[in-house]
Amino acid sequence: MSVILASAGYDHTIRFWEALSGICQRTIQHPDSQVNRLAITPDKRFLAAAGRLNVKLYDIRGSNPNPVTTFEGHTSNVTAVGFQSDGKWMVTSSEDGTVKVWDMRAPMVQRNYKHRVPVNDVVIHPNQGELISCDEGGNVRIWDLGENTCTHQLIPQDDVPVRSVSVATDGSMLVAGNNKGNCYVWKMVNSRDTTSLHPVTKFRAHAKYITRVLLSPDVKHLATCSADHTARIWSTEGFELETTLPGHQRWVWDCAFSADSAYLVTACSDHYARLWELSSGQIIRQYNGHHKGAVCVALNDV
């Protein structure tokens, strides 16, 4: 499987799709809860599904319908999951107010960072030494894994929950999106393994909640998903709107870029995942099979 595309949501299933044909190759049952987020390990062997209290790891290549590992320790919804570049550790965030770092070889918590309010998202800095998380209290925090401490606390807008964060693949930029539809952009400068942040701009991306912000692999585009039933693509040059992706019938929850930054997959409450060609703004494929809202997608076409 050179291209791995998976989606999940509220029907308690994870579906693997043939990206080009739109055919569902495999369905995995996830009876415990809805699936909030998906992530593919860097070696493309496993898919992580973040649910209500835990993260389950599924074998992508085999036919085993059961998880090969379950990571237990959160006490509420797990809102994000990501992998260190070598696949040695995993990070999660949760509505229980914590960010946790897990050893992949033994499903143990190595680090536990407290926000004390529900955490909505966490990403790993490309230097693999810092985590960036955001929460319901309106905070964006940077955690230094070497120093084992929070080095930065940003509050873009008082008392407005920050829903999603994204860091550029080259570590040059950080973007956060909040419940008022605003995006905040910082330039990141890394010297001697310490990061400094410089505000670049703030802009209104949507009139309603932002559910996801995601910088493209080539760092030329920013995708934003929203409760306003659209996803939008912005140029990272001046954050001008490039494309609005219409056709979603309900909230757009999640998105994933192709490796060449030319395509975007979206997940929507209208049950569909969709593949978009960004140059034309057209839907190339609709993935139809979920019986309830699709809220998360994962794509690896490297």
Side-chain angles (χ1 to χ4, degrees):
M1 288 169 71
S2 59
V3 178
I4 299 162
L5 173 60
S7 62
Y10 281 90
D11 65 0
H12 293 227
T13 68
I14 300 164
R15 293 180 180 268
F16 289 91
W17 306 92
E18 275 183 10
L20 295 176
S21 71
I23 293 167
C24 182
Q25 294 172 314
R26 180 182 173 199
T27 303
I28 295 173
Q29 301 300 317
H30 189 273
D32 291 7
S33 73
Q34 81 283 355
V35 180
N36 300 319
R37 292 294 289 277
L38 294 171
I40 299 162
T41 56
D43 62 9
K44 298 170 79 167
R45 286 185 58 197
F46 301 103
L47 178 77
R52 195 172 68 82
L53 296 173
N54 55 40
V55 174
K56 296 183 189 305
L57 210 60
Y58 294 93
D59 188 346
I60 290 173
R61 296 172 186 166
S63 56
N64 180 6
N66 300 309
V68 292
T69 315
T70 301
F71 296 85
E72 295 181 335
H74 283 297
T75 57
S76 188
N77 271 315
V78 183
T79 53
V81 57
F83 294 101
Q84 183 250 359
S85 58
D86 294 335
K88 291 193 172 85
W89 49 266
M90 175 179 85
V91 66
T92 55
S93 61
S94 169
E95 290 175 2
D96 67 12
T98 68
V99 170
K100 296 185 193 298
V101 176
W102 309 76
D103 190 325
M104 291 300 291
R105 290 156 298 194
M108 304 282 291
V109 177
Q110 289 181 321
R111 303 281 173 84
N112 187 47
Y113 297 126
K114 292 178 180 175
H115 274 247
R116 306 191 193 284
V117 288
V119 188
N120 293 323
D121 201 8
V122 64
V123 292
I124 302 170
H125 190 290
N127 65 18
Q128 307 300 305
E130 291 172 300
L131 307 175
I132 300 145
S133 53
C134 63
D135 68 32
E136 204 64 17
N139 305 286
V140 176
R141 292 180 183 270
I142 299 184
W143 307 90
D144 185 311
L145 294 172
E147 298 293 324
N148 204 20
T149 187
C150 177
T151 55
H152 298 75
Q153 179 185 8
L154 308 164
I155 305 172
Q157 202 171 354
D158 281 340
D159 299 324
V160 180
V162 182
R163 188 62 44 198
S164 178
V165 285
S166 182
V167 61
T169 52
D170 61 1
S172 64
M173 188 187 306
L174 171 66
V175 180
N178 75 10
N179 275 11
K180 287 264 168 76
N182 293 322
C183 275
Y184 295 83
V185 183
W186 294 267
K187 181 183 175 188
M188 299 181 85
V189 180
N190 197 293
S191 63
R192 298 190 196 89
D193 289 339
T194 60
T195 294
S196 60
L197 293 161
H198 310 277
V200 173
T201 190
K202 163 205 166 183
F203 65 98
R204 188 80 183 270
H206 298 270
K208 295 186 176 177
Y209 282 178
I210 288 175
T211 51
R212 180 77 56 239
V213 294
L214 184 64
L215 287 160
S216 62
D218 66 5
V219 200
K220 291 180 179 173
H221 312 279
L222 171 70
T224 58
C225 302
S226 173
D228 70 5
H229 302 191
T230 69
R232 289 180 173 162
I233 309 296
W234 309 81
S235 162
T236 55
E237 282 291 301
F239 292 93
E240 300 294 322
L241 180 63
E242 292 183 324
T243 321
T244 297
L245 305 178
H248 302 98
Q249 301 305 306
R250 297 177 76 178
W251 286 37
V252 187
W253 283 101
D254 197 12
C255 64
F257 278 99
S258 59
D260 64 3
S261 304
Y263 298 88
L264 189 78
V265 180
T266 57
C268 182
S269 293
D270 63 12
H271 308 184
Y272 288 97
R274 293 173 175 86
L275 175 67
W276 302 83
E277 181 182 57
L278 298 181
S279 61
S280 64
Q282 298 297 308
I283 298 171
I284 303 293
R285 204 57 80 232
Q286 288 204 133
Y287 305 100
N288 179 17
H290 287 294
H291 305 302
K292 291 184 178 177
V295 300
C296 50
V297 291
L299 172 66
N300 186 323
D301 63 333
V302 176

